[in-house]
Amino acid sequence: MATVVAQSHYIFGLRTGVRNNLLYFDEQTIIFPCGNNCVRYNINQKCQKFIPGTERSQGMKALAISTNRRYLAVSECGEKATITVFDLQHEQNRKRKVLTGGEIPVDEFVCMAFSPDSKYLIGQAGGPDWTLFLWMWEKKKLMATVKTSTSGPISQVSFNPQDNTQICVSGNGVFKIFRYAGETLKQSSTFKTDAHNFLCHTWISTEKVVAGTETGQLMMFESSRLRWEINVASVQKVKSQSEKQDSNEPSSALPRVTAVVGYSSRLICSAGPGTVCLFEKIEEEDQYKKTKDIKIPPEAFSNDSSSAEHQEISTLCISPSEETLTASTDRGQLYSIQLSVVELEKGDRAHFEYLSQSFHSSIVTGLSTCIRKPLIATCSLDRSVRIWNFETNDLEMYKEFQEESYSVALHPTGLYILVGFSDKLRFMTLLIDDIRTLKEFTVRGCRECVFSNGGHLFAAVNGNVINIYSTTTFEDVLNLKGHNEKVRAIAFSADDSRLVSCGMDGAVYEWNTLSGTRESDSVLKTCSYTGVTISPDAKTFFAVGTDCTLKEIQDSQILREVPSGDVVCTTVAMSRSGRALFIGTSTGTVRAIKYPLPIQNAWLEYQAHAGPVTKMIITFDDQFLLTVSEDGCLFIWKIIDKEGQGLKREKELIYAEEILVTKSDLEEKNKMILDLNTTVDELQEETKHQLSLKEMTYKEKINELNEKGLQQISSLNAEKEVLKTEKEKQQAAHVKALSEILEKHDKELQDMESTNNQKLMLEYEKYQELQLKLHNVQQECEQQLHSMEESKTRALEEMMQSYEAKLEKKMKLLNQLQDESQQQVREFEEYIKQEEVDTDTEIHDIRTKYEDNLREEKRANATLKVELDTTTKSFHGLQMEIDNRNLEIEKLKQEVQKLQSVIKSLENDITGLKAAIRNKDGIMQDKEKSIYDLNKKNSTLNKALEVMKHRAEFMEEEIAPKENQIEELKEQMQEMEGELKDFHKTNTELELKIDELNLKLKTKDKEIHKEMKKVQDFGVLVQRFKADLHTCVECIQDPKRLKDNIRELYKCYVHPSDVVEKVAVHTDMQRENSRQREHYEKIITTMKTQISRDASVFQANNTKLMKDNVVLMKEINDLRQELRTLRTQLHNYESQTNFNKNIKGSASTRGAASAGRAGLMTEQSFEETEKIIQFQRLEIHRLKQDILGQTPTSRTKLPPLAN
């Protein structure tokens, strides 16, 4: 583990593209995503706490906070989409639960919402399924799922604020309300919303929902009905009609309602770029009326003041006390406004203010810090340069430019700044409220620039060359050449004597900043380096690149490599104490590694950015690590040890407070102060006078009000006394009425009791009499029952005797009747036999007749079946032909699409070739200029070196064949241009052929439409035939009617000529189809062969161009080397001639004795010069042989094109 730890300290930025990316935790704290973290920002204290994202997360998609503001849900996408729920009341924001789609595959959750009691959570999955999940999140229990859409995206989901079971879903052509019942989500209400794209919605009551659309409409729905609708676009036009008349700008698109929020009896929604509308409820009607517009103010230091106003509102959020409205935009900015201020402001407009400060809205390309001040400088592709203070965590200065900025460097004093723009490199001064240009350098697209630690030099990268300039004189001190491709990173050593550079050619070079020589190098062609740093002792370098390793380089050798897994490292930085290394990765994470490098891969990894880390730097005192990324965020990390303490400083840094101010600015500000003081004095006098006048008027009003109040009090007292008297009278009358009612009630009670007692006595006497009567009746009944039983027994005995006698008589009758019945049965059997014989003969005759009839009917049915089979076969054949035609048409369309894609690719290749030719034309011009310069220098050398005429003639002979070679190369270029023209001609011919094919396709489509019409007519005929057949089937029991109906059917629908014609047409259509198919196949084969030929020609031309380019570049390099050798020889010759002149002068002044010595010296010097000339001739001959022997092969790496 590393001994040094990085702890998140502060973050500048907002992550866009996250749904609901601004939330209120309490009245002073907001939550928003930044990088791969969620930030808890206290507005009053200006401090931050962080909730890091999960490891290997591919980005946040949505946020949601519970209604009790205790839990935060974060949706992230990765290998599996997850929703993580955090406990915000815990000190370290403890992770509570992680929810997934379970067995259902989910790539992302686009939006979420908590239930009113915070027990349930809904999550809307993305396409193509668009499934809505309902969880009981504390138990990780999936309650129900439902598909909410088939095609369009879903923008928002929400719970009813009073009902856990009711859910609203809105999106493109979707506005549905679901109800949870019986472990399923069922759609409870339907709305006709196919034509609208709903971007947001909000509940304003338990039954009412307000939704905003892409076309600027606000709609209020209640119980499956549209209750109210307003178009924000029309309101905006009416409000800003006068402004539009003044401006000559074209009308913009319809404003989109991207966010809507309701509170108390009001409604707030976005109304297009940079505008928020405030609506108030009309009390009598169930509608809303627009009252005010809230606008995003223009930027103070921007070139385009309207750029801020064109931002689109992505999220609106109201504080828990409903006092503050905050908004986030699609450019990563946060704004806020007090709603009480909006109500108090006059007019129909108010303006937002920045919630904290302005952030970058695009990729941050540059990062730098200084020594004497706690400042950070950043630049971005949003054309802005910003100066931050890492002590106060504020934005010190901000300015926008007209060009994109690629690199930035702060001077160690913090008073100057160097910015590399797309057109120039500018040296600027940091004033109190402005950044002004001091000097411009012609370095285009400078991707790297850095000041030396002493501040006396600065280095700037110009393609593959590093230019070193003086800060005081702005002279180009050194040009460091050696990289073959673009330089990606440079760094000065602590004493500024060394400079380390790395490039995309896989080279790491160490340069001497005094002499410009290369001290050491390390080349690894398999890796293109992206970042480099140098140790405090300037002996070892650390480089990272595309091969996913950290390399430790010392003395031109790679000592150690630390693999980083599958993650590409983009930047590297080392602390000035040399204790730790920090690495930025392409996934946005930051890694801390202790130094010396461990044997095992041991590092600490921190979740930081949502994109690749572009730059990384450590402050001079080793207290803070600064990182920027493609997500537009700036992270400030506190560097501490394991015990949580900051790193020990060698010396306490005292930051300077001086600021550069120009004399004109000072004079203007002094004048402004004097003017303001005078205006303040005048205003004070005016306010005093106005206050005295107001006091007088207020006193008069108070006296009037006192008098009116006293009069009202006296009138009210009189009324009070009158009311008291009336009250006493009414009380006395009420008491009398009560006493009378009570007396009446007592009398009535007594009378009722006496009458009731008498009635009770009478009823009791009647009851006793009835009991005596009942007893007597029971005794009489018992006597009668006894007598009745005796009489019944006697009657039964008599009846039994009589019935037995009757039974005997009946048995005798039965025997006689049985004998008679047997005789009758015998007679009936004989009669049946005779009848059976007769019926058999009749049945045989009838059967023969019906069998003959059945045979005839079967024959007729068989003929009809054959006819039906022929018709059905012909119908199926036509259907098959139609299907085959459709398949052929689809195949032809696919082939046409393929051809179009091939043509597009060829067009892209042509544009690329054109661009390459333009670049090569520019290169050729540069080469011609260089050749022209060389010719000039050769002529000057010929004039100057009269003594070396033989050598000059020899050099002229050498230059002449090279000029011939250059002319030959020009001829080759002209030939290539002719070949390009031929290639353009072939392309035009191909386009004409494609047009012909499209025309043929259109004719085929017309023929298919005709065939489809014929098929439809045939279908109508078949339906009619089916109906007639159905009528025939009804007469199946009547053979004659059935036969007549079938004959009529045959006459109506079948003709012998039709059958013959159909067969002939069928064969003709097949022949025509086969002929056309063969024709199209031949055309397609010819097109493919032509395309393959063109591709081969293009490849040959491209390889030829590349080879010619290689030869030209090598010849130019050889010419440069020859120029250098000529310069050295010229310098040696001049020094030799000066030496000879000095010798001759001394010889003339001296005597004859020294003349002999001078003659000897001159002879020796001439011999030495002749030796030097012969040696140089041999060297030139050897170089020529080397040039002739070196020919570029296909495997050799080509030199880079000059920018």
Side-chain angles (χ1 to χ4, degrees):
M1 297 294 288
T3 56
V4 176
V5 180
Q7 185 179 3
S8 298
H9 179 68
Y10 208 86
I11 302 175
F12 296 99
L14 172 68
R15 183 172 181 178
T16 57
V18 179
R19 184 69 187 175
N20 202 16
N21 62 354
L22 184 60
L23 302 167
Y24 263 101
F25 173 60
D26 54 30
E27 196 64 31
Q28 291 83 28
T29 309
I30 59 168
I31 298 172
F32 59 89
C34 186
N36 202 21
N37 295 268
C38 284
V39 179
R40 289 176 59 177
Y41 176 64
N42 191 302
I43 299 167
N44 293 336
Q45 297 177 1
K46 293 186 178 181
C47 61
Q48 292 181 350
K49 292 182 180 179
F50 308 97
I51 303 170
T54 57
E55 292 183 2
R56 295 188 178 180
S57 169
Q58 295 177 6
M60 298 180 187
K61 291 294 177 183
L63 300 180
I65 195 166
S66 60
T67 48
N68 59 6
R69 304 189 187 276
R70 179 175 178 179
Y71 303 110
L72 174 71
V74 181
S75 165
E76 294 176 292
C77 61
E79 293 179 359
K80 275 189 177 181
T82 59
I83 296 175
T84 309
V85 182
F86 295 93
D87 189 355
L88 296 175
Q89 290 185 359
H90 195 269
E91 289 183 0
Q92 297 178 353
N93 301 311
R94 185 166 60 89
K95 189 187 292 186
R96 290 292 298 268
K97 290 289 184 291
V98 178
L99 307 174
T100 61
E103 296 179 356
I104 302 170
V106 180
D107 294 330
E108 59 178 357
F109 290 100
V110 294
C111 47
M112 304 173 294
F114 278 95
S115 62
D117 58 359
S118 305
K119 290 183 179 178
Y120 299 96
L121 179 70
I122 52 173
Q124 176 63 57
D129 294 332
W130 301 104
T131 306
L132 180 68
F133 293 82
L134 172 64
W135 292 280
M136 186 183 283
W137 67 268
E138 288 184 345
K139 296 181 180 179
K140 294 177 73 174
K141 182 180 178 182
L142 183 61
M143 306 294 288
T145 59
V146 67
K147 287 189 178 181
T148 55
S149 176
T150 55
S151 59
I154 302 299
S155 57
Q156 188 177 353
V157 293
S158 64
F159 276 99
N160 188 324
Q162 301 296 327
D163 189 357
N164 284 345
T165 62
Q166 201 169 10
I167 297 165
C168 181
V169 179
S170 64
N172 188 3
V174 178
F175 191 82
K176 299 177 182 178
I177 292 177
F178 295 92
R179 187 171 286 279
Y180 177 71
E183 296 184 356
T184 56
L185 284 167
K186 295 179 181 178
Q187 190 172 347
S188 60
S189 59
T190 57
F191 306 94
K192 293 180 181 179
T193 58
D194 295 336
H196 298 289
N197 182 8
F198 294 97
L199 301 178
C200 57
H201 69 263
T202 186
W203 294 81
I204 56 174
S205 69
T206 54
E207 295 181 353
K208 296 177 184 177
V209 183
V210 174
T213 68
E214 193 176 20
T215 56
Q217 290 178 327
L218 273 178
M219 299 179 179
M220 185 170 73
F221 298 95
E222 183 181 5
S223 62
S224 303
R225 291 182 183 178
L226 181 64
R227 294 289 185 186
W228 171 71
E229 183 178 2
I230 190 170
N231 196 338
V232 179
S234 61
V235 174
Q236 289 295 105
K237 285 177 184 177
V238 171
K239 290 279 184 183
S240 60
Q241 192 173 5
S242 60
E243 293 179 4
K244 284 190 177 180
Q245 287 175 357
D246 296 335
S247 64
N248 295 321
E249 293 180 358
S251 61
S252 60
L254 290 171
R256 299 170 53 190
V257 181
T258 54
V260 61
V261 177
Y263 73 103
S264 60
S265 62
R266 294 179 185 178
L267 196 68
I268 299 173
C269 73
S270 64
T275 307
V276 173
C277 293
L278 181 64
F279 291 86
E280 283 189 1
K281 189 176 181 181
I282 301 168
E283 294 180 358
E284 296 176 356
E285 301 175 4
D286 197 7
Q287 294 182 358
Y288 287 84
K289 180 182 73 175
K290 184 180 174 184
T291 56
K292 284 200 178 179
D293 286 340
I294 306 171
K295 292 272 188 181
I296 292 175
E299 294 285 352
F301 299 100
S302 175
N303 291 315
D304 185 8
S305 60
S306 63
S307 62
E309 297 174 0
H310 292 308
Q311 298 182 80
E312 193 170 74
I313 306 293
S314 58
T315 306
L316 290 173
C317 188
I318 296 176
S319 62
S321 64
E322 297 184 351
E323 290 182 357
T324 309
L325 173 68
T326 56
S328 65
T329 67
D330 60 343
R331 295 187 187 174
Q333 306 299 327
L334 293 174
Y335 297 96
S336 69
I337 192 169
Q338 296 291 325
L339 292 172
S340 58
V341 173
V342 176
E343 293 171 2
L344 291 171
E345 278 193 7
K346 295 178 181 179
D348 57 351
R349 278 196 180 181
H351 287 89
F352 279 107
E353 293 179 353
Y354 279 112
L355 184 66
S356 54
Q357 52 262 330
S358 174
F359 301 135
H360 281 296
S361 60
S362 186
I363 298 170
V364 181
T365 55
L367 174 68
S368 181
T369 185
C370 61
I371 300 171
R372 295 290 296 143
K373 290 185 179 183
L375 298 180
I376 305 166
T378 58
C379 65
S380 171
L381 295 182
D382 60 4
R383 300 179 179 179
S384 68
V385 175
R386 297 169 196 259
I387 308 297
W388 314 84
N389 192 318
F390 60 81
E391 274 198 340
T392 59
N393 298 324
D394 281 329
L395 179 65
E396 291 278 331
M397 205 177 302
Y398 156 64
K399 188 172 183 180
E400 278 193 11
F401 296 89
Q402 292 182 353
E403 301 87 11
E404 291 181 347
S405 52
Y406 298 124
S407 59
V408 68
L410 266 176
H411 194 268
T413 58
L415 300 175
Y416 304 100
I417 189 169
L418 192 69
V419 184
F421 292 96
S422 58
D423 59 345
K424 288 180 181 177
L425 176 71
R426 291 184 175 91
F427 188 92
M428 296 183 281
T429 55
L430 290 177
L431 301 178
I432 191 169
D433 56 356
D434 194 12
I435 303 172
R436 291 186 187 173
T437 303
L438 188 63
K439 178 72 176 175
E440 292 183 348
F441 302 91
T442 57
V443 180
R444 288 188 176 183
C446 178
R447 300 280 177 174
E448 287 291 330
C449 60
V450 64
F451 278 100
S452 63
N453 294 312
H456 60 291
L457 298 173
F458 65 87
V461 173
N462 187 2
N464 57 357
V465 180
I466 303 167
N467 297 325
I468 297 178
Y469 296 91
S470 171
T471 309
T472 54
T473 60
F474 301 120
E475 290 180 355
D476 190 354
V477 179
L478 290 172
N479 291 325
L480 308 179
K481 298 177 182 178
H483 285 281
N484 293 325
E485 291 188 22
K486 290 182 180 179
V487 178
R488 293 296 302 273
I490 52 175
F492 275 99
S493 63
D495 58 355
D496 296 334
S497 62
R498 300 285 187 273
L499 185 137
V500 182
S501 64
C502 70
M504 296 177 71
D505 55 354
V508 177
Y509 293 145
E510 180 188 4
W511 308 88
N512 190 324
T513 56
L514 299 174
S515 61
T517 57
R518 192 192 301 170
E519 297 285 335
S520 64
D521 56 3
S522 174
V523 181
L524 184 66
K525 292 185 178 180
T526 57
C527 172
S528 61
Y529 288 108
T530 56
V532 69
T533 188
I534 189 168
S535 63
D537 58 359
K539 291 181 180 179
T540 55
F541 319 127
F542 302 93
V544 291
T546 56
D547 60 348
C548 303
T549 57
L550 168 68
K551 296 177 181 62
E552 183 181 2
I553 302 167
Q554 189 174 0
D555 295 331
S556 303
Q557 291 182 355
I558 298 171
L559 294 180
R560 192 171 299 167
E561 291 186 2
V562 180
S564 61
D566 298 333
V567 181
V568 177
C569 301
T570 55
T571 57
V572 63
M574 191 175 195
S575 61
R576 297 183 187 277
S577 61
R579 289 175 59 186
L581 277 166
F582 296 94
I583 298 169
T585 66
S586 60
T587 59
T589 58
V590 174
R591 293 180 178 181
I593 305 174
K594 69 178 181 181
Y595 186 76
L597 296 176
I599 298 168
Q600 297 179 351
N601 299 335
W603 59 69
L604 287 174
E605 190 167 14
Y606 305 99
Q607 297 299 317
H609 296 278
V613 179
T614 54
K615 296 291 176 185
M616 177 185 288
I617 198 167
I618 299 172
T619 57
F620 186 76
D621 55 358
D622 280 350
Q623 295 300 307
F624 297 102
L625 170 71
L626 314 172
T627 60
V628 292
S629 170
E630 290 184 5
D631 59 2
C633 299
L634 167 63
F635 276 56
I636 301 175
W637 307 79
K638 181 77 175 174
I639 302 174
I640 56 174
D641 55 13
K642 278 187 177 181
E643 297 175 357
Q645 297 179 358
L647 298 181
K648 292 181 180 179
R649 307 180 190 178
E650 294 179 359
K651 292 180 181 179
E652 285 292 330
L653 273 177
I654 300 169
Y655 292 118
E657 294 181 356
E658 64 268 12
I659 297 170
L660 290 178
V661 182
T662 60
K663 190 176 181 181
S664 59
D665 289 341
L666 263 176
E667 290 174 353
E668 285 178 2
K669 284 183 179 178
N670 289 325
K671 287 180 181 178
M672 284 281 289
I673 290 162
L674 291 170
D675 295 335
L676 288 168
N677 287 323
T678 53
T679 51
V680 164
D681 295 333
E682 290 173 359
L683 286 168
Q684 283 178 353
E685 290 176 358
E686 286 180 1
T687 50
K688 284 179 182 178
H689 182 66
Q690 288 176 359
L691 282 169
S692 61
L693 292 171
K694 284 180 181 179
E695 283 178 358
M696 294 290 288
T697 53
Y698 285 142
K699 282 179 181 179
E700 290 175 356
K701 287 180 180 178
I702 288 162
N703 292 325
E704 290 175 359
L705 289 168
N706 285 325
E707 289 176 358
K708 287 180 181 178
L710 291 169
Q711 289 175 2
Q712 288 176 359
I713 287 162
S714 60
S715 63
L716 287 168
N717 286 323
E719 288 178 359
K720 187 180 176 183
E721 288 175 358
V722 171
L723 289 168
K724 275 183 181 179
T725 54
E726 289 179 357
K727 185 184 175 184
E728 288 172 356
K729 289 177 182 178
Q730 285 178 1
Q731 279 181 352
H734 183 66
V735 168
K736 286 179 182 179
L738 266 172
S739 62
E740 290 174 356
I741 290 162
L742 288 167
E743 287 175 356
K744 286 180 182 179
H745 184 65
D746 291 334
K747 287 178 181 179
E748 287 175 357
L749 274 170
Q750 289 174 2
D751 295 335
M752 290 286 285
E753 283 178 358
S754 61
T755 53
N756 285 325
N757 288 326
Q758 290 175 1
K759 286 178 182 179
L760 279 167
M761 291 297 290
L762 292 169
E763 292 290 331
Y764 183 71
E765 288 175 354
K766 286 179 183 179
Y767 175 71
Q768 286 180 349
E769 289 176 356
L770 288 167
Q771 275 185 344
L772 289 169
K773 286 180 181 179
L774 227 167
H775 185 68
N776 294 326
V777 169
Q778 281 178 355
Q779 287 178 356
E780 288 175 357
C781 286
E782 285 175 355
Q783 289 175 3
Q784 287 176 2
L785 283 167
H786 187 66
S787 62
M788 288 287 285
E789 283 177 358
E790 288 177 355
S791 62
K792 280 180 182 179
T793 52
R794 288 173 188 171
L796 275 168
E797 287 174 357
E798 291 174 355
M799 289 286 286
M800 287 288 284
Q801 291 174 1
S802 63
Y803 277 118
E804 282 175 358
K806 287 178 182 179
L807 270 169
E808 287 176 358
K809 291 178 183 179
K810 294 286 182 182
M811 286 296 287
K812 291 176 181 178
L813 285 168
L814 266 170
N815 291 324
Q816 290 175 1
L817 289 167
Q818 282 177 357
D819 295 333
E820 290 175 358
S821 66
Q822 285 175 0
Q823 289 176 359
Q824 288 176 359
V825 165
R826 288 168 189 169
E827 292 173 358
F828 184 70
E829 285 176 355
E830 289 176 358
Y831 178 74
I832 285 165
K833 286 177 182 177
Q834 291 175 1
E835 289 290 329
E836 283 178 354
V837 172
D838 296 332
T839 52
D840 287 334
T841 55
E842 288 177 1
I843 287 162
H844 183 69
D845 296 333
I846 292 161
R847 188 177 285 171
T848 54
K849 286 179 183 179
Y850 278 108
E851 282 177 355
D852 295 333
N853 291 325
L854 273 168
R855 284 169 189 168
E856 291 176 358
E857 293 293 332
K858 282 179 180 178
R859 286 172 187 171
N861 283 324
T863 54
L864 287 169
K865 281 181 180 178
V866 170
E867 290 171 359
L868 275 169
D869 290 332
T870 54
T871 52
T872 52
K873 282 177 182 178
S874 62
F875 178 70
H876 287 302
L878 286 168
Q879 279 187 343
M880 291 290 286
E881 286 175 4
I882 290 157
D883 294 334
N884 292 325
R885 283 284 179 84
N886 289 326
L887 289 169
E888 287 175 0
I889 288 157
E890 287 177 358
K891 286 178 182 177
L892 287 169
K893 284 180 180 177
Q894 287 176 0
E895 287 174 358
V896 168
Q897 286 177 358
K898 287 178 182 177
L899 287 169
Q900 286 176 354
S901 62
V902 169
I903 287 156
K904 285 180 182 177
S905 64
L906 287 169
E907 286 176 354
N908 292 325
D909 293 336
I910 288 159
T911 54
L913 280 169
K914 284 179 181 178
I917 287 161
R918 286 172 191 165
N919 292 326
K920 286 182 180 178
D921 288 334
I923 292 162
M924 288 297 293
Q925 288 175 1
D926 294 334
K927 289 173 182 176
E928 286 174 356
K929 285 179 183 178
S930 62
I931 289 160
Y932 182 71
D933 295 333
L934 286 168
N935 288 325
K936 276 187 179 179
K937 288 175 182 177
N938 284 324
S939 63
T940 53
L941 285 168
N942 287 323
K943 288 177 183 178
L945 301 172
E946 292 177 354
V947 181
M948 298 175 72
K949 284 181 181 180
H950 297 289
R951 180 160 178 74
E953 288 175 359
F954 184 71
M955 288 301 294
E956 283 175 359
E957 288 175 359
E958 283 182 351
I959 289 161
K962 288 186 179 178
E963 286 178 350
N964 294 325
Q965 287 178 1
I966 289 158
E967 287 176 357
E968 288 174 0
L969 287 169
K970 284 181 181 178
E971 289 175 358
Q972 287 178 2
M973 288 295 289
Q974 288 174 357
E975 289 175 0
M976 289 173 79
E977 285 176 355
E979 289 175 358
L980 263 175
K981 287 176 183 177
D982 296 333
F983 190 68
H984 285 303
K985 285 179 183 177
T986 54
N987 277 330
T988 52
E989 289 173 0
L990 284 170
E991 286 174 357
L992 289 170
K993 287 179 182 178
I994 287 156
D995 293 331
E996 289 176 0
L997 285 170
N998 287 325
L999 288 170
K1000 288 177 182 177
L1001 269 174
K1002 286 177 182 178
T1003 55
K1004 284 292 172 188
D1005 288 331
K1006 288 178 182 178
E1007 289 176 1
I1008 288 157
H1009 285 302
K1010 288 178 183 178
E1011 291 292 332
M1012 289 295 286
K1013 284 181 181 178
K1014 287 179 182 179
V1015 170
Q1016 287 175 359
D1017 296 334
F1018 190 73
V1020 171
L1021 198 142
V1022 169
Q1023 286 178 358
R1024 288 178 185 171
F1025 183 72
K1026 284 180 180 178
D1028 293 335
L1029 265 177
H1030 186 67
T1031 55
C1032 289
V1033 169
E1034 289 177 355
C1035 304
I1036 199 163
Q1037 293 180 357
D1038 193 354
K1040 291 180 180 179
R1041 285 178 66 191
L1042 195 141
K1043 192 172 183 179
D1044 295 332
N1045 288 326
I1046 287 165
R1047 281 176 181 171
E1048 288 175 0
L1049 276 172
Y1050 189 80
K1051 288 176 184 178
C1052 288
Y1053 295 100
V1054 179
H1055 298 285
S1057 62
D1058 293 340
V1059 177
V1060 175
E1061 285 175 4
K1062 283 178 183 176
V1063 173
V1065 169
H1066 185 66
T1067 54
D1068 292 335
M1069 285 169 71
Q1070 284 182 351
R1071 286 174 188 170
E1072 184 66 23
N1073 285 328
S1074 62
R1075 188 179 64 78
Q1076 288 180 359
R1077 187 173 181 181
E1078 287 174 359
H1079 179 66
Y1080 282 125
E1081 283 177 354
K1082 285 178 182 178
I1083 289 165
I1084 287 159
T1085 51
T1086 54
M1087 291 286 285
K1088 284 181 180 177
T1089 53
Q1090 284 178 0
I1091 287 160
S1092 62
R1093 285 173 189 169
D1094 294 336
S1096 61
V1097 169
F1098 172 71
Q1099 285 179 357
N1101 291 329
N1102 194 5
T1103 52
K1104 191 175 180 183
L1105 280 169
M1106 293 298 284
K1107 286 179 180 178
D1108 293 337
N1109 190 10
V1110 169
V1111 172
L1112 286 168
M1113 291 297 289
K1114 286 193 174 179
E1115 287 179 356
I1116 288 159
N1117 290 324
D1118 295 334
L1119 287 169
R1120 285 176 181 170
Q1121 286 179 358
E1122 287 178 1
L1123 258 176
R1124 286 174 186 168
T1125 53
L1126 284 170
R1127 282 176 183 170
T1128 52
Q1129 289 170 5
L1130 201 150
H1131 181 71
N1132 293 326
Y1133 179 74
E1134 286 177 353
S1135 62
Q1136 195 70 34
T1137 51
N1138 291 325
F1139 182 71
N1140 290 329
K1141 286 177 183 178
N1142 291 326
I1143 290 166
K1144 286 178 182 178
S1146 61
S1148 61
T1149 52
R1150 289 173 187 172
S1154 61
R1157 288 180 192 172
L1160 289 169
M1161 289 293 289
T1162 51
E1163 287 176 0
Q1164 287 176 0
S1165 62
F1166 277 116
E1167 287 174 359
E1168 285 176 1
T1169 51
E1170 285 176 358
K1171 285 179 182 179
I1172 289 163
I1173 288 162
Q1174 287 176 0
F1175 178 76
Q1176 286 172 355
R1177 284 177 181 172
L1178 291 168
E1179 187 70 19
I1180 289 161
H1181 185 67
R1182 187 182 63 78
L1183 288 168
K1184 277 187 178 181
Q1185 287 178 353
D1186 291 337
I1187 289 160
L1188 292 169
Q1190 286 180 356
T1191 56
T1193 61
S1194 61
R1195 291 184 180 178
T1196 54
K1197 195 171 182 182
L1198 297 174
L1201 295 172
N1203 290 327

